[in-house]
Amino acid sequence: MWCLAAFVALLYALCDVNYFIRILFTILHVMVVPGTIKVTDKHTIYGFCTTQDVDFLLNHMNNGRYLRELDFCRFYWYGRTRFWPLGNAKNLLQGECMVRYRRMLPIFKAYKVETQLVWWDERSIYFEHKFITLHDGFIRTVAYSRQRAIGADLLEYVKQFPECRERPAQPTVLKGWIEANEASSLQLRK
C-alpha cells in the first residue's frame, strides 16, 4: 500500500498527472459520445475554476491556465469535427496565441469556453475562444490561437469540408494580429 502511495506521489511530483487524466477523458468523451460538428460551428466545453487553477492571490484563474484550457478546446474540436488526419502534414502545432483578459475569472465559479474556427490560410487555422462565466454570462477572456501545419497546404485540406469551400472574411482583429506577428518575425530574422 505504501509503495502505491509513494508511486502516485512521485508521479504527481514529476508530471502534471491531472493534465494527462483530463486528456484521456477528453479523448474518451469524443470517442464514446456520438456525433460530429461542422468545422465552422461553434462548440462549447465547460469548466470550473478550482484551487489548482488560481494564482498566488488565490482568488482567480492563473493566466497560464487559460492557455491550458485552450489545449482541451482544440483537442475536443479536432475530435468532434474529424479534422484529423491532416493529409501529408507531419504536425499541426500551436503557433501563436493572443489573449485579452477582460475581467478575472473567480475561484469556485463555473464557466464555458466557446471555440470557433474563424479563418484559415495555406499554413494555419485560426480559432476564437471566449471564456464566459455561467452565473452572469459575462465574457471574461477572449483568445485567438493559431495552429500551424507543417508539411501540408491547409487551403486544399480545409476545402474537403463542404462548409469551408469559401473562406470567410478575415476578422479585423485577426488581420492586425497576423500583421503584428509578421512584423515581429521580420525583426527577429535581421
Side-chain angles (χ1 to χ4, degrees), residues 77-111:
W77 181 87
Y78 286 126
R80 278 282 166 245
T81 60
R82 305 296 189 242
F83 200 79
W84 297 111
L86 185 61
N88 296 326
K90 296 178 181 112
N91 288 306
L92 195 57
L93 305 170
Q94 175 72 359
E96 291 104 22
C97 190
M98 175 181 67
V99 183
R100 178 171 179 230
Y101 304 99
R102 298 182 67 219
R103 194 177 294 167
M104 70 179 190
L105 200 159
I107 190 171
F108 304 127
K109 294 292 182 184
Y111 61 91

Side-chain angles (χ1 to χ4, degrees), residues 7-21 52 65 68:
F7 178 72
V8 169
L10 183 64
L11 275 178
Y12 270 88
L14 295 177
C15 35
D16 191 351
V17 175
N18 292 340
Y19 178 79
F20 293 105
I21 290 172
Q52 292 187 346
R65 288 297 190 176
R68 180 179 169 154

